[in-house]
Every structure is written in C-alpha cells, then in structure tokens.
Amino acid sequence: MTATQIRQAFLDFFAAKGHTIVPSAPIVVKDDPTLMFTNAGMNQFKAIFLGEEPAKFPRVADTQRCLRVSGKHNDLEEVGIDTYHHTMFEMLGNWSFGDYFKKEAIDWSWELLTKVYKLDKDRLYVTYFEGDEKEGLAKDTETYDLWKQYVDEAHILPGNKKDNFWEMGETGPCGPCSEIHFDSRPDNERKEVSGAVLVNADHDQVIEIWNNVFMQFNRLKDGSLQSLPAQHVDTGMGFERLVRVLQGKTSNYDTDVFQPMIQFIAEKSGRKYNSAAKPGDNDWSEAVAMRVMADHIRAISFAIADGQLPSNNKAGYVIRRILRRAVRYQYQYLGFKEPFLNQLVPLLAEQFKGVFDELYSQKDFVQKVILEEENSFLRTLENGINRFNNYFINPDYINPNPILKRGLIKGSNREELDKSLHDERSVDNEIVSGSFAFELQDTYGFPIDLTELMAREKGWAVDLKGFEEALQAQKSRSRAATSIDTGDWVVLKDDDKVEFTGYDETETIAHVVKYRKVTAKGKEQYQIVLDKTPFYAESGGQVGDTGELVFPDGEVIEVTDTKKENGLIVHFVDKLPEDIDDALTAIVDNEKRNNTNSNHSATHLLHAAMKQVLGSHVNQKGSLVNAEYLRFDFSHFAKVTEEELARIEAIVNEKIRENIALKEERDVPYDVAIKSGVTALFGEKYGDKVRVITFDDTFSKELCGGTHVKATGYIGYFKIVSESAVAAGVRRIEAITGIAAENFINEQSKLVQQLKELLKNPKDISKSVESLIEENARLKKEIEKSILEKSSGLKDELAQKVENINGINFIAQKVELPNADAIKNVAYQLKDIVSDLFLVLAADIDGKPNLTVMLSENLVKEKGLNAGNIVRELAKEIQGGGGGQPFFATAGGKDVSGIDRALEKAKSFTA
Ligand code: SER
C-alpha cells in the first residue's frame, strides 16, 4: 500500500463505523495559552473533553498535522539522529465524545491493524496502565481483559504512569492509555530476545504505533485530578510509523513519505543517502543531515502556511530555530553554502495536495519566506564564523579561566588533550570559554556541537560546563521575565455553554460562573467567566473589549481585556467583586467598540479592494483591528505603488459612500459558505457552522467572527497612512477610519495652510515650492562659480609669492576662501603651475582654523617630505589635528589665533 492508500484506509474504516471525518486543525494554536502548536490530534477537541463546549458529532476521525517541538512533548533533538521521531507528523485519530469507550476502541484498533492492514499478530504488543498509588489510580484491568480476547498474554504488558497515563500538558485532559507496539526485527533476533522486553525501551525496531487514551480526568494546576463530566476516547496513530511498518521498512525515512524528498536532496548535493549509516561512519552525518532536512521542511512549511512566520519570539522563534537547524545541517554536512532548503517546498506541496491543501495554494509564498530566512541566517552564520576565527587570532578575546582548565572538559583525556593542544598553541589558549560558545549560539545560531567541531579543527576544546551555565542563566532570566502563574478555575456554577451576546447588544445581565487568580510579574489579577457576555474576546485580529461589570450594590469592576481560551470567554479584572454570586450588568465600552467596528469592516473592504487592484493572490497574513487603527498584512511580492494605493483607497471610500448594509449570517454550514465564494483565511480553525459577513454580495464576503458596523456609511472615511514590508513576500498597510481619519486630514490641511502662508499665498503651492527649489539650485551654482573665479584669481596672486629656499618653491599664506573644497582647488591648481612646490595655506572658515599642505611629488620622493606629518606638526599651533596623503593633507583646529604661528613654523620644514 502507498502512504496515500494507507491514510485513506484509516479514514474509510472509521467512517464505516459511524465516524464523521473532520479536517485537520491548523498546526499553529491560537486560543490556548498552554500550547503553541498542535501536539496531538485531540487538541482541537480539548474544550469538548473539558465540558466547555458541546460536541457536534459523537464520533469523529481525521488526520491531524502535529508538531512536537516545545513544551511537554518535545522531540526536536532526536529528529534525524534516529529514524522514527519527527517535528511535524500526521496523527491518525478516532474519537468518541461521551459515546463508545474502551471496548469498541480496542476492538476496532485490533480489527483495523490485523484485518485491514493485515499486520502480523506475533509482532504486536499492547500495554495497559498498571495503576499508581500516589495518584490513587487503580490498575486498568478492564483494558487487560479486553485485550485478552485477541492477544496472547505474553504480549500484554503493564505500563507505568510515564508510559501509560497520557497527559496533554502540565494541565488539561488526561487518562490511562493503552499503546500498541510493533516489533519489526528479523526473526532470528526476535527468537533471541523477546520483543516484550524492548517495548518502550527506545529500540528503533520495536516502536509504538498507536495510542488509545481513555480520557477521564482533568489535571489541575495543583497537581490533583478532577473527573471529567463524561468519558471519552482519544486515539492517535503515528502515520509515518504505520506506513513504515506496512511497507516493511526499518526506518520511517525509507518509506514513500520521505524518499522523494531525500532523493531530491541527495541528487542536488551530489551525495548518496545511506539509510544504514551508523554513528562514526563516513556518511553518517550526511544521512542525518538529509533526514533533518526532509523532516524539518515539513514543520517549517506548514507552520508558515498556517500563518506562523519565523520571528524572534514565541512560536515564531521555535519555527526559526527549526529552520536554522536544517540550514546548519545542509551547510555543514551537505555543502550547500547557498540557500537550498526552500527548493523542497514545491515537492512537499505536491505531496500533500488533496490532504492538506493549505500548502499547495500558498507554495510560492512559503518558498519565498524560507528563501529569505535562509539568506539572513547564512549571513549570520558567516559573521559568526568570522567572529569565531577572530577569537583565535586576537588574544584579547581569550579569557581562559584557570579553574576551568583544571579538568572540566567533557570526556577529555587530559594528557592527550594537552599534547595535541601544545602542538597548536601555548597552554594558555586551549579552551573556548563557555560564555563565548554561548554567545555564538545565542547571537549567531551556532549550536554547541558546531562550535565544538570548529574548535576541534583548531585543536581546541570547549568549556561545556561553562556553556551549560550560561545557557541556564539565560533560561532562568527569561523565565523570570515571563513567568505567569495561573491558578485553577473556581467553579461557582456548572454551566457548559457560555453565550456571547455581543453581536446584538453591548449590555447584558449575567452571572459569574467561574473565576481564577493569575499572578504575572508579581502582579495579581483575576479572570472571570460569565454565563452570558457582550464582551468580544480577542480573536481574528480584533482586540478584546474593555468595559465594566456593574453590580446591584453599586460596585463597578473594570474589565481591562477579554480573551478566548478554548471554549471560554475570559474577562480580565484587577479584583473580584464583593458579591460574586449577584446578577451583574456587563457593559462594553461603546465608543471604543464602535471605532473598532469601523476599523474591522474597513479591513474587509480593504481586503476586497486589494484583490481587485493587486490580484487574487493577495491573502491576509495577519491583521490587527483596534479602536485607533487597522493594520493589514498580506502576501504580495512587490511594493504597492502610490497609484495602486490611491485606487484601493478610492474603492473603499466609494463602498463607504454606498452605505451598504451589513449582511450577517450565523450558523452557515461551512461547505455552503465556501461554495458561495467567501474568503476564508489560512491557518484559521473553522467549525462546521460559520459566520459570514457580507458587504455587497458581489464585493466582500468573508468568514469572520468579529464585530462590524451596521452599514458601511458608519465608517465615515478611510485613509491609508502607510505601506511597508514586514517580511519576505509580506507587505503591510496601516489605515485609519472615521474620526481618526478626519483628524488626520485636518492635520494635513493645516500643514498646507501654514505652507501657503509662509509662501505668501501663491495660487499653486507645489509650483511655488518647485520654483523655490530651482532658484535655490541656481543660486548655489552661482556661488560655486564665483568661488571658482575667486580661487583662480587667487592662484595667480599666490604664484607671485613663491620664495625659493634650498631648491624648494615655498608658499605659506593665509587665504580668504569659504570652504575646504575651494582651498583644495587652489592648491591643486598651484601644483600644476609651480614645480618643486611646498605650499601651506591657512584659512579661517566660519571661525575655525584650517590648514592645507601640498607638496610636489618629487619633494616627497627625493626630499622625504610628507604632507601628513607636516600638517600634524603645524596643527599643534591651532590646537588641532589632521592628516592625509604624503603629498596632500589637511588639518582643522580650535584656535584661529595660531594661524600665523603655524605659517611661520612651516618654513622650518624647508631646511
Ligand atoms: N492524545 C494521544 C497521543 O497524542 C492519543 O491521540 O498520543
């Protein structure tokens, strides 16, 4: 079976068992503060497990793109070194939301593996949870008994909390699990050592392929377990591992999921991929590098396609690090000194066509972003290499710590090391300090192993302990800067449906259903969830509402922000109300909301106008909408011209004047909406029911959860204030509307008024400024001309003053010229007409003394005179300094009164 057939067989199997097939969620997580990237198929269902959102279907199945590169599940360092971990991988999953439980999950997984995929039963091992006394959790005998129907008891293994109790993160839904492992070793090896002892022992041929989690608990912040409202099934099967097992390979990279990519890399690098290379082999590093690239390009591309550009913080930084890891490998081991990684994008996009179309439809954009990142990293790498080489050349950089030298070098044999180092350099310079190695990593992206390798080439060692210390110090610094302590929810009312009323009203009577305390940077805050709320929670670029919660006793609690968290709308407040159980009135700050509405609706009009003017390739890449302005990032490869901007602006304003009424449709089935031609954004997770915002059916139709004006006329006026580049292939427009736009225009016209007055009210200001500029240029030319005339007159005058001393034609004079250029001019002219010239000119330029020395070449060559030395000596008289070439030099100074002394002194050089 090909990978494509294997994936399809999974989905078909579960569809036949009553599961609805749903699309993968984006790989970038937007509304869960505990997670940056989707790390398991169940993430998109977290709110359902926690009872915060109702399930739309009782059973679903899908293939989810996942990334395990940060937080609790982080495999990054293994990737490429071994053959079965990945950054991005597909997780095939089936779910029951309060529907079937252990029995069906186990029956079906066995049926699929042995009947559909026809895996050899003898090679399968299953596990069950052995219980945990500390947690008060019993042994999962039910699972054991269920497996016993199918599996030989010797193949049913108990597992501890680490392996058999699955948790999504530090907090969140969790439960006991049952894993299925496959032993792909040859028969003789299997006879010698039973697979049972190799399960969960990091053996690369005995690997977990499927995990069935029986979700029953919520892990709270205080570490305790709380029972979930219902029991669920969450399963995840690693697609790439499944394919490997079914295709009878010993490495995930040998399957048709990775081979096309690896062969492409091998061909372009002119090397062969040796799947069997072992550490220490000549081609080991090359094989690792090819695997790293074939793997990392997937994570990078899908993250970018899902809206996460590489950047310097948070999720963007994780992506940048993965990208740099890949570039470093291709640079270091495959000889790609120019960008290459980006060339893998078209291949990958083709491979995932029909599975995850997000990449195919944006492949040019994704490739361009990666190319730019490669370019900038290669520059950094080069700077780092220079910095590294300097460290060895310039002893100032070397600061060996004598204590460290006494033996803290990892795995080093002191004697041998000392010997090899002695040959290279003196004993003092043998260790690259930990802090320098850290600087290389932190600033130039050099991982420690690269620094070690480069140091070794020079016969040096790296102080790894010092490096580790520097790394830890930085980690704890950044932890301290960002540490947020979030308490558990205190539940007042069990209410699993939070109603958002803010599309229809900005004041709602409500109750607090839960709250919690949050300590960020030492400051205490509270977060409140209401049963109903008009407060819009930040999303889709629109800021969260602010406003007030007003209580019957008159107490007013200010809401400083509103954010979404999974299914919840969370209000940020500084304190809790006295009477938290009372009904309250939640009131949104209306003025702010209205301005925000204007900016949000204007964003839709802008987006539609841009597609008309620039083309349909324009896709939203980011957006910010608040009460002050709107910011719109979009994919486009060229600067938007003034003319295009003017046309875009004109279209938007025309649509505003048309006063088009808002058409808001809630609960439109997703497919219906897409068929009607709405603009959907990449990287957004849409439910199967969506909200469609339309301003004129033929103009703007977008999937959107934000708040809008009732009719476009409310926007008043739209004005673009800037257009700029934010990243490769991404441009940004900033614009304002309504009162802000009015103020802006008023400012501009005030400025024009002031200019008019300054120019004495001309009919046409730009004409009159133009003629001012022209006149200015003409005057400048005239001045230059008259200086020139003056200096050639001066030249003749000066030539008369020659004094012949010892065969030198000496002139030392004070001249009146307005600038250094004019003096230089005279000096050069004199040199042409006077031979054996030694000229010293002094001038007072706007109160500052200036000295110029000019020598004929023969005086420099034959008499050893040097204008630079002379001018420096003379400059002492004017309290200044200078220099230049041997035949021409100048100096400036502070003391004009020294000019005569300097001229006098000049003569002494003729002797
Ligand atoms: N959530 C479980 C896992 O990630 C099963 O899907 O392994």
Side-chain angles (χ1 to χ4, degrees), residues 769-787:
V769 171
E770 225 168 72
S771 60
L772 265 186
I773 293 170
E774 266 166 25
E775 189 177 339
N776 192 28
R778 192 174 48 76
L779 288 176
K780 237 192 203 148
K781 254 197 204 129
E782 259 170 39
I783 291 175
E784 270 161 23
K785 204 169 130 216
S786 86
I787 291 174

Side-chain angles (χ1 to χ4, degrees), residues 39-42 68 91 95 166 208 211-213 215 234-236:
N39 68 3
M42 52 73 64
R68 289 195 170 170
M91 194 183 263
W95 284 273
W166 197 83
E208 176 191 348
N211 191 13
N212 279 248
V213 183
M215 290 287 185
D234 151 32
T235 92

Side-chain angles (χ1 to χ4, degrees), residues 195-467:
V197 302
L198 299 176
V199 164
N200 277 329
D202 284 333
H203 192 288
D204 66 353
Q205 298 307 324
V206 184
I207 54 170
E208 176 191 348
I209 53 173
W210 202 348
N211 191 13
N212 279 248
V213 183
F214 309 117
M215 290 287 185
Q216 269 169 287
F217 304 103
N218 181 18
R219 171 78 68 190
L220 298 181
K221 173 81 198 189
D222 64 8
S224 64
L225 292 171
Q226 184 186 50
S227 285
L228 291 175
Q231 294 180 326
H232 316 277
V233 171
D234 151 32
T235 92
M237 175 143 61
F239 174 64
E240 297 75 12
R241 293 183 183 187
L242 175 68
V243 174
R244 152 182 169 179
V245 161
L246 291 177
Q247 295 184 348
K249 306 287 185 197
T250 53
S251 157
N252 291 10
Y253 294 92
D254 290 345
T255 65
D256 62 344
V257 178
F258 290 100
Q259 270 306 303
M261 197 68 81
I262 289 193
Q263 290 312 330
F264 181 78
I265 299 166
E267 186 197 314
K268 295 289 169 184
S269 64
R271 294 157 208 233
K272 267 181 88 150
Y273 175 66
N274 178 8
S275 172
K278 296 263 163 311
D281 289 353
N282 282 341
D283 47 6
W284 162 249
S285 300
E286 291 175 7
V288 172
M290 291 185 202
R291 288 196 288 266
V292 163
M293 293 174 65
D295 171 277
H296 288 12
I297 190 64
R298 297 158 35 108
I300 300 159
S301 300
F302 278 100
I304 296 171
D306 278 344
Q308 183 57 63
L309 293 176
S311 75
N312 259 344
N313 49 50
K314 296 193 187 146
Y317 190 54
V318 176
I319 297 307
R320 177 164 284 171
R321 266 184 16 229
I322 298 175
L323 193 149
R324 291 182 163 195
R325 188 171 188 258
V327 174
R328 201 251 307 171
Y329 269 100
Q330 72 180 15
Y331 179 95
Q332 202 176 335
Y333 298 113
L334 298 177
F336 290 113
K337 305 290 174 200
E338 299 291 323
F340 170 71
L341 189 68
N342 68 91
Q343 291 176 33
L344 305 179
V345 174
L347 206 61
L348 187 69
E350 197 62 49
Q351 186 185 343
F352 277 100
K353 217 167 137 186
V355 185
F356 303 138
D357 282 323
E358 290 81 355
L359 184 57
Y360 191 80
S361 32
Q362 301 176 85
K363 60 182 193 308
D364 294 344
F365 168 71
V366 171
Q367 183 169 2
K368 172 116 182 182
V369 171
I370 297 177
L371 170 67
E372 280 311 309
E373 277 288 311
E374 284 192 83
N375 270 324
S376 87
F377 181 51
L378 286 171
R379 277 194 298 273
T380 313
L381 211 56
E382 215 159 276
N383 291 338
I385 290 171
N386 287 337
R387 178 85 178 82
F388 182 84
N389 288 335
N390 279 336
Y391 185 91
F392 292 86
I393 294 162
N394 184 347
D396 287 347
Y397 283 116
I398 296 163
N399 180 20
N401 182 335
I403 300 172
L404 295 173
K405 277 202 305 178
R406 255 178 263 128
L408 296 175
I409 307 159
K410 185 179 96 176
S412 64
N413 171 336
R414 276 310 296 187
E415 261 169 8
E416 223 171 78
L417 188 70
D418 276 350
K419 200 170 137 284
S420 72
L421 292 173
H422 268 295
D423 300 338
E424 280 284 311
R425 269 197 169 245
S426 74
V427 177
D428 281 348
N429 301 336
E430 61 191 18
I431 294 163
V432 174
S433 80
S435 59
F436 180 67
F438 178 71
E439 181 199 322
L440 285 177
Q441 165 162 315
D442 202 39
T443 315
Y444 301 99
F446 276 45
I448 187 68
D449 52 342
L450 176 61
T451 304
E452 273 190 283
L453 187 97
M454 287 173 34
R456 229 181 356 255
E457 280 165 6
K458 298 202 183 252
W460 283 35
V462 178
D463 168 21
L464 290 171
K465 184 147 186 278
F467 170 79

Side-chain angles (χ1 to χ4, degrees), residues 847-898:
K848 293 239 164 69
N850 177 289
L851 295 174
T852 301
V853 175
M854 172 68 97
L855 292 168
S856 295
E857 265 89 358
N858 61 322
L859 295 191
V860 176
K861 283 191 198 125
E862 289 152 24
K863 302 226 170 203
L865 290 175
N866 183 303
N869 294 344
I870 297 173
V871 93
R872 264 190 292 277
E873 198 49 47
L874 302 184
K876 289 180 184 160
E877 301 300 326
I878 56 167
Q879 284 188 39
Q885 292 149 284
F887 68 94
F888 180 79
T890 59
K894 288 192 203 120
D895 183 10
V896 193
S897 72

